[in-house]
């Protein structure tokens, strides 16, 4: 049977349309899928950065796009985006909260100059995404160091140890005896990256069935006809000399199989195949093929009237991205599944031009953008623009991630996709074939059919955030929850008071708050009778766990070396001008800070008599060196630059090191506080007059550590809450003033504009000035229009 059909575009996001003859059970499947997607609208984030890598001490600029559904409309679900800088040890170093305006935000991370070289990670997520942690945005960012031009090492210590692995993926999901089957494979080295492999497939009698070799990044495929009662294994040799033997999945003795030929541009050819015994038992029964693309499902009824049933799917009526083809049994059970990638070249057409073909150093550039849809109509949208000097920031284009690779490919797949941009630049038939291998070796991530078909859907655990939330509980002093008590939220810096009545369990929650920076609030709880002999607790929401991200390969020295060399020249220039990092100025002016009241520390170590905050700690050296002279009545003794212990100045005879407590956990004697990342510190407290601890106590609280602890007080509680982050403005000099020509301009990022909007005609323009570097300058424009169409353009011009 040969059927040609097309899928009509849906008018509404996540609206599902059935096609051809649909049986009752299949109608229920489509209805359940519709219900599931309506109750679980997907939300995804993409971040564009001004550079692909950085050096310690840099500022990392980024633009965030948050979209909903599989048609990439800017999200109206969430109003808050969380962004985390994750260290090489999978611990959060910095976290910021960004206000989303119709799915858009921009921010930055100021990297400490003491940050060691390594492969770091940026993670971005909304609270709604916590229902599906696989939807978090994650990107590996190599960070170098000026210490001997150190380049990043693997994020996972020891990840290169161990043997390579080989996995087999039968097309459609299973091997069936007597049916010619295509088997894809992926060879993975110990570092999680693809490795070339070749080998032989042999049966349990030792006879060779076929041979194979990888085609791209350890991936490849072969075909053979498995025989009933036989088992199969592969003897392989990996690049680098390792060899091994691996078992193939055992064939089913009878059954049904699905294969798709996706090599043709206009259509995908689908084949449903059975063995003779299965066909005899199920002849005449109706199976259903469901095609899911871009949030729309279509179904085709397929009566089993021959051993092979063939269909053609017109891909021009599908949506660019991953399409999911699933074969359902007459009893509505998913039997086989195949992913295909549809490339319809329907992204935004971004035309970038400059007023000149080449420029002089420090010359003024006028850059214009004209954005068009596939239908050549004007695209009104939001875009971000990065301009870099390619001689200072070389790029491995295949390894890049982009708005296209993330939203069209990797976000919908399980596992790590290596070198994703390879499949989106200079597209050839060979690259389309290699992309089909990715489809064969990665599973679909967006939803599982078991979730969809379950009649009892679990409640959604995390609701969307529209603003900052401050929540907690109020109890009587014996610890009984206060029902219908009154909790008042008082901003420390002034502003309206907010009140709320507690529920039956004493819970309260102030939602949708809007404030910037770290802000102090006073929480006051009273009983229903107005008395405030209460115990009040603040419950910050904990961060999602940081998982291990594969693909943290080291970037070659030759890629980052020009950038690090330029960074060193910039540092030398700053040092000559007397403004280098780590240099003490002759005069330091400190803004006054309101003195905090003495209080009992959380750990019960006595009265806190001194508090400093993270933003008061200066640059230069390890944490101990940074604190010298900043903590009154504390001196430092040690044997080397990283071996310092805090001692109270009053302990002049047989001085004993102070007790060091990190996030309420006492540290062992001799603990090196310089191992704590300064950028992660929220505050440091000193207890120096407690008879129970005469040696003194140094309490260190990190931002992430505070979020993991509830804070409790009696009657009144002061809390410090991180509000929305106010992004830095990228500095771009203007050279129309002769006085600005007094030193070399060694910038690597020439210009960064996180928000460039096109008008009703699809036009936008911007102006900036080149640096002193000569050669190719690289412009990267990415963005999305008001209909969810996405686009990317890379443009180059010369500076001579």
């Amino acid at each position: 049977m040969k059927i040609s059909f097309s899928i009509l575009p849906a008018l509404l996001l996540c609206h599902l349309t059935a096609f051809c003859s649909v049986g009752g059970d299949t109608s229920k499947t489509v209805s359940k899928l519709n219900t599931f997607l309506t109750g679980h609208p997907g939300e995804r984030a993409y971040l564009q950065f001004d550079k692909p890598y950085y050096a310690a001490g840099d500022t990392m600029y980024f633009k965030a796009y948050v979209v909903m559904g599989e048609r990439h409309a800017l999200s109206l679900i969430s109003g808050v985006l969380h962004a985390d800088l994750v260290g090489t040890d999978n611990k959060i170093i910095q976290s910021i909260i960004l206000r989303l305006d119709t799915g858009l935000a921009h921010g930055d991370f100021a990297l400490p100059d003491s940050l060691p070289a390594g492969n770091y990670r940026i993670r971005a997520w909304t609270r709604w995404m916590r229902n599906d942690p696989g939807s978090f945005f994650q990107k590996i960012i190599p960070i170098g160091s000026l210490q001997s031009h150190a380049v990043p090492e693997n994020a996972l210590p020891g990840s290169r140890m161990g043997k390579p692995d080989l996995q087999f993926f039968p097309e459609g999901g299973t091997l069936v005896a007597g049916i010619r089957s295509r088997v894809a494979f992926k060879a993975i080295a110990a570092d999680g990256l693809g490795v070339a492999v070749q080998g032989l497939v042999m049966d349990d009698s030792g006879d060779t069935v076929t041979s194979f070799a990888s085609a791209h990044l350890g991936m490849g495929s072969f075909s053979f006809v498995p025989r009933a009662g036989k088992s199969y294994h592969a003897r392989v040799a990996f690049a680098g000399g390792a060899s091994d033997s691996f078992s193939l999945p055992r064939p089913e003795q009878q059954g049904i199989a699905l294969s798709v030929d996706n090599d043709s541009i206009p259509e995908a050819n689908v084949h449903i195949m059975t063995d003779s015994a299965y066909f005899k038992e199920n002849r005449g029964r109706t199976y259903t093929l469901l095609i899911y693309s871009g949030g729309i499902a279509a179904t085709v009824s397929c009566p089993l009237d021959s051993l092979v049933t063939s269909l053609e799917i017109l891909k021009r009526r599908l949506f660019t991205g991953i399409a999911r083809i699933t074969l359902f049994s007459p009893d509505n059970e998913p039997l086989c599944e195949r992913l295909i990638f549809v490339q319809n070249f329907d992204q935004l057409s971004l035309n970038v031009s400059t007023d000149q073909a080449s420029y002089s150093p420090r010359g003024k550039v006028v850059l214009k953008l004209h954005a068009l849809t596939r239908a050549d109509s004007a695209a009104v949208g939001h875009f971000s623009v990065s301009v870099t000097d390619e001689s200072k920031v070389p790029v491995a284009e295949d390894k890049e991630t982009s708005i296209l690779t993330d939203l069209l490919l990797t976000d919908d797949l399980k596992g790590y996709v290596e070198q994703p941009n390879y499949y989106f630049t200079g597209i050839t038939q060979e690259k389309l074939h290699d992309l089909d291998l990715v489809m064969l070796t990665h599973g679909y991530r967006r939803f599982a059919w078991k979730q969809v078909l379950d009649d009892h859907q679990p409640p959604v655990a995390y609701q969307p955030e529209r603003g900052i939330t401050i929540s907690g509980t109020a109890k009587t002093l014996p610890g009984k929850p206060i029902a219908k008590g009154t909790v008042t939220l008082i901003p420390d810096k002034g502003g309206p008071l907010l009140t709320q009545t507690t529920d039956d369990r004493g819970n309260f929650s102030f939602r949708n708050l809007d404030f910037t920076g770290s802000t102090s609030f006073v929480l006051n709880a009273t009983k229903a009778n107005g008395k405030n002999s209460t115990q009040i607790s603040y419950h910050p929401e904990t961060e999602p766990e940081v998982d291990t991200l594969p693909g943290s390969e080291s970037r070659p020295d030759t890629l980052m070396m020009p950038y690090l060399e330029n960074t060193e020249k910039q540092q030398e220039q700053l040092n000559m001008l007397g403004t280098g990092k780590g240099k003490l100025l002759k005069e330091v002016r400190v803004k006054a800070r309101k003195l905090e009241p003495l209080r009992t520390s959380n750990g019960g170590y006595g009265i806190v008599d001194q508090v400093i905050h993270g933003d008061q700690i200066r640059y230069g050296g390890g944490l101990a060196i940074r604190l010298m002279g900043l903590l009154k009545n504390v001196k430092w003794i040690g044997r080397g630059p990283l071996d310092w212990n805090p001692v109270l100045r009053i302990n002049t005879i047989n001085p004993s090191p102070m007790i060091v407590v990190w996030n309420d956990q006492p540290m062992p004697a001799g603990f090196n506080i310089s191992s704590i990342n300064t950028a992660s510190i929220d505050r440091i407290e000193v207890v120096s007059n407690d008879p129970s601890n005469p040696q003194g106590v140094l309490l260190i609280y990190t931002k992430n550590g505070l979020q993991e602890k509830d804070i409790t007080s009696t009657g009144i509680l002061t809390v410090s809450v991180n509000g929305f982050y106010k992004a830095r403005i990228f500095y771009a000099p203007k050279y129309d003033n002769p006085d600005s020509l007094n030193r070399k301009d060694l910038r690597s990022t020439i210009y960064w504009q996180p928000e460039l909007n096109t008008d009703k005609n699809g036009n936008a323009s911007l102006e900036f000035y080149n640096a002193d570097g000569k050669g190719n300058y690289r412009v990267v424009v990415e963005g999305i229009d008001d209909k969810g169409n996405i686009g990317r353009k890379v443009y180059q011009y010369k500076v001579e």
Side-chain angles (χ1 to χ4, degrees):
M1 180 175 67
K2 186 176 183 180
I3 301 174
S4 297
F5 73 98
S6 63
I7 298 178
L8 300 177
L11 299 178
L12 298 175
L13 182 69
C14 296
H15 176 68
L16 303 179
T17 303
F19 190 84
C20 295
S21 56
V22 181
D25 288 339
T26 307
S27 298
K28 290 180 181 178
T29 300
V30 174
S31 177
K32 286 183 176 181
L33 180 56
N34 187 25
T35 300
F36 177 83
L37 294 177
T38 300
H40 301 78
E43 196 173 46
R44 293 181 282 179
Y46 168 72
L47 273 59
Q48 180 188 359
F49 295 84
D50 67 305
K51 285 194 284 276
Y53 45 78
Y54 298 87
D58 284 349
T59 297
M60 181 187 296
Y61 295 94
F62 64 85
K63 168 70 174 289
Y65 299 87
V66 179
V67 300
M68 57 185 181
E70 295 173 69
R71 303 287 293 279
H72 311 132
L74 287 168
S75 182
L76 302 176
I77 299 173
S78 297
V80 179
L81 179 71
H82 301 262
D84 304 321
L85 173 63
V86 181
T88 57
D89 56 357
N90 287 334
K91 296 186 185 302
I92 295 175
I93 298 173
Q94 296 181 33
S95 292
I96 59 175
I97 303 172
L98 298 174
R99 182 188 291 106
L100 285 171
D101 181 4
T102 320
L104 302 169
H106 63 276
D108 55 79
F109 286 106
L111 304 176
D113 59 340
S114 58
L115 206 63
N119 284 337
Y120 291 74
R121 189 193 332 173
I122 297 296
R123 183 179 73 163
W125 51 278
T126 65
R127 193 174 190 272
W128 181 250
M129 289 182 196
R130 296 191 68 171
N131 297 300
D132 177 19
S135 63
F136 287 16
F137 172 85
Q138 300 201 69
K139 179 180 174 66
I140 296 168
I141 302 282
I143 296 176
S145 170
L146 294 185
Q147 298 176 5
S148 303
H149 291 168
V151 296
E153 298 295 335
N154 275 4
L156 306 178
S159 62
R160 292 191 177 276
M161 299 175 62
K163 298 193 303 181
D165 188 26
L166 182 63
Q167 297 174 315
F168 295 100
F169 304 89
E171 185 176 18
T174 56
L175 294 174
V176 179
I179 299 177
R180 175 165 288 276
S181 300
R182 183 183 181 191
V183 179
F185 61 86
K186 185 173 184 179
I188 304 172
D191 60 3
L193 303 179
V195 60
V197 67
Q198 60 182 356
L200 301 174
V201 176
M202 311 181 76
D203 63 19
D204 48 10
S205 300
D207 296 328
T208 299
V209 175
T210 188
S211 61
F212 63 88
S214 56
H216 179 66
L217 297 176
M219 297 179 294
S221 68
F222 57 86
S223 298
F224 79 114
V225 180
R227 301 300 178 187
K230 290 284 187 180
S231 60
Y232 298 88
H233 65 278
R235 292 181 179 176
V236 303
F238 297 98
S243 60
D244 211 335
S245 179
F246 298 89
S247 297
L248 271 67
R250 195 169 187 88
E252 300 287 340
Q253 297 306 298
Q254 64 178 52
I256 191 167
L258 175 71
S259 72
V260 180
D261 180 1
N262 195 37
D263 287 341
S264 173
I265 296 291
E267 71 273 328
N269 297 294
V270 181
H271 307 287
I272 302 168
M273 303 164 289
T274 70
D275 67 285
S276 298
Y278 187 92
F279 176 72
K280 184 177 179 180
E281 289 181 11
N282 295 279
R283 184 171 186 173
R285 301 186 74 191
T286 300
Y287 291 72
T288 302
L289 198 70
L290 187 147
I291 302 96
Y292 180 78
S293 172
I296 300 174
T299 59
V300 180
S301 297
C302 304
L304 194 63
D305 55 11
S306 65
L307 291 174
V308 179
T309 302
S310 297
L311 305 91
E312 289 181 352
I313 301 175
L314 297 179
K315 291 191 288 187
R316 62 185 175 86
R317 294 297 181 90
L318 301 178
F319 298 94
T320 292
I322 296 173
R324 185 178 185 181
I325 302 172
T326 309
L327 180 66
F328 284 84
S329 74
D331 299 322
N332 205 32
E333 293 290 331
L335 300 175
C336 309
E337 188 162 276
R338 170 75 149 91
L339 305 182
I340 64 171
F341 192 87
V342 178
Q343 179 61 274
N344 282 331
F345 303 98
D346 53 1
Q347 295 85 39
L348 292 176
S349 174
L350 304 182
N351 301 308
V352 178
S353 61
T354 50
D355 58 330
Q356 298 175 207
S358 63
Y359 296 88
S360 61
R362 305 197 183 193
K364 181 180 179 180
V365 178
V366 179
L367 186 143
K368 294 183 178 180
L369 170 66
H370 185 50
L372 298 171
T373 66
R374 183 183 185 183
D376 286 337
S377 59
V380 179
H382 303 265
F383 300 89
S384 42
V385 182
S386 170
V387 183
T388 56
D389 180 346
E390 272 196 303
S391 66
K392 298 178 175 64
V393 190
V395 174
E397 194 164 10
D398 285 351
K399 292 184 178 182
E400 283 195 297
T401 59
S402 72
I403 195 169
L404 302 180
T405 65
D406 275 38
L407 296 185
L408 297 179
L409 180 64
T410 58
D411 277 359
D412 283 332
L413 294 178
K414 295 178 181 177
Y416 174 69
V417 179
E418 190 177 347
Q419 298 186 16
N421 207 40
Y422 164 82
Y423 307 105
F424 289 85
T425 56
I427 298 173
T428 63
Q429 191 63 39
E430 180 184 4
K431 288 191 175 184
L432 291 175
H433 177 77
D434 293 339
L435 182 54
D436 200 44
L437 292 175
V438 176
M439 298 297 102
L440 287 163
T441 55
H442 291 72
Y444 188 72
R445 190 204 57 76
R446 175 70 176 88
F447 61 83
W449 284 114
K450 184 177 180 181
Q451 290 175 287
V452 172
L453 299 176
D454 191 347
D455 290 326
H456 304 286
Q457 292 290 339
V460 175
Y462 296 96
Q463 295 300 321
E465 282 180 298
R466 301 302 305 173
I468 309 296
T469 299
I470 297 176
S471 59
T473 57
K475 299 180 180 181
T476 63
L477 289 180
K480 183 180 179 181
I482 298 174
K484 297 182 180 180
T486 300
V487 178
T488 304
L489 182 69
I490 308 168
D492 185 51
K493 296 180 181 179
L497 307 184
L498 300 176
T499 60
Q500 192 175 99
T501 302
T502 59
D503 63 16
D504 292 341
R505 298 182 178 180
N507 296 319
F508 63 88
S509 185
F510 296 91
R511 300 182 183 277
N512 302 329
L513 303 177
D514 189 343
F515 57 92
T516 59
S518 181
T519 303
S520 294
F521 293 88
V522 176
L523 286 165
N524 180 30
T526 60
K527 301 177 184 178
N529 60 11
K531 295 183 178 180
N532 69 343
S533 55
T534 60
Q535 184 182 75
I536 187 167
S537 298
Y538 166 55
H539 305 316
E541 188 167 349
T542 58
E543 290 268 359
E545 290 186 7
V546 178
D547 57 356
T548 300
L549 189 66
S552 302
E553 76 273 22
S554 293
R555 194 172 283 268
D557 296 10
T558 54
L559 192 65
M560 280 197 74
M561 286 305 291
Y563 179 69
L564 293 175
E565 289 170 357
N566 183 71
T567 302
E568 185 175 45
K569 291 177 182 177
Q570 288 179 303
Q571 183 63 55
E572 289 173 353
Q573 182 171 260
L574 291 173
N575 290 341
M576 290 178 62
L577 295 171
T579 58
K581 296 171 185 174
K583 285 186 173 292
L584 297 178
L585 303 180
K586 293 182 180 180
E587 181 181 5
V588 178
R589 296 184 179 181
V590 181
K591 292 183 179 180
R593 179 186 291 273
K594 181 181 177 181
L595 292 176
E596 300 195 13
L598 303 183
R599 66 177 184 83
T600 301
S601 64
N602 293 336
Y605 289 99
I607 301 297
V608 172
D609 49 29
Q610 185 182 173
V611 178
I612 65 166
H613 295 262
D615 58 6
Q616 294 176 267
I617 303 174
R618 60 175 179 256
Y619 283 108
L623 178 57
I625 294 176
R626 297 182 187 207
L627 293 175
M628 291 180 181
L630 191 59
L631 295 175
K632 62 182 180 181
N633 297 326
V634 176
K635 64 179 182 179
W636 298 83
I637 58 174
R639 295 186 298 271
L642 295 179
D643 183 16
W644 296 98
N645 290 313
V647 174
L648 289 179
R649 291 185 182 276
I650 57 176
N651 294 337
T652 56
I653 302 175
N654 297 323
S656 297
M658 300 174 69
I659 299 171
V660 176
V661 180
W662 185 8
N663 291 330
D664 292 334
Q665 296 296 319
M667 295 293 104
F671 172 71
N672 176 21
I673 74 164
S674 292
S675 64
I676 301 176
N677 191 324
T678 307
S680 70
I681 290 176
D682 178 82
R683 69 180 188 275
I684 294 178
E685 300 177 348
V686 176
V687 176
S688 60
N689 294 297
D690 181 17
S692 301
N693 300 289
Q695 69 270 56
V697 185
L698 191 72
L699 299 114
I700 303 173
Y701 294 95
T702 57
K703 297 167 185 175
N704 191 45
L706 286 175
Q707 292 179 335
E708 297 172 354
K709 299 286 185 181
D710 290 345
I711 303 173
T712 302
S713 185
T714 301
I716 295 176
L717 174 65
T718 300
V719 295
S720 179
V721 182
N722 287 328
F724 289 115
Y725 179 75
K726 186 176 181 180
R728 293 174 173 85
I729 297 175
F730 179 83
Y731 170 71
K734 293 183 178 181
Y735 288 121
D736 49 1
N737 182 356
D739 292 338
S740 60
L741 303 176
N742 57 357
R743 63 176 179 176
K744 280 189 174 183
D745 187 341
L746 300 173
R747 286 175 294 149
S748 55
T749 297
I750 308 303
Y751 190 72
W752 167 249
Q753 176 53 261
E755 186 60 29
L756 181 68
N757 299 325
T758 51
D759 61 20
K760 64 180 181 179
N761 298 315
N763 293 322
S765 64
L766 50 84
E767 299 177 354
F768 57 90
Y769 290 81
N770 297 316
D772 287 339
K774 295 182 180 181
N776 288 332
Y777 280 29
R778 185 172 189 257
V779 181
V780 179
V781 181
E782 295 188 334
I784 187 168
D785 73 2
D786 55 4
K787 294 181 175 60
N789 299 306
I790 59 177
R792 182 177 195 256
K793 179 70 174 181
V794 177
Y795 174 84
Q796 292 174 318
Y797 66 87
K798 287 186 177 295
V799 175
E800 299 175 329

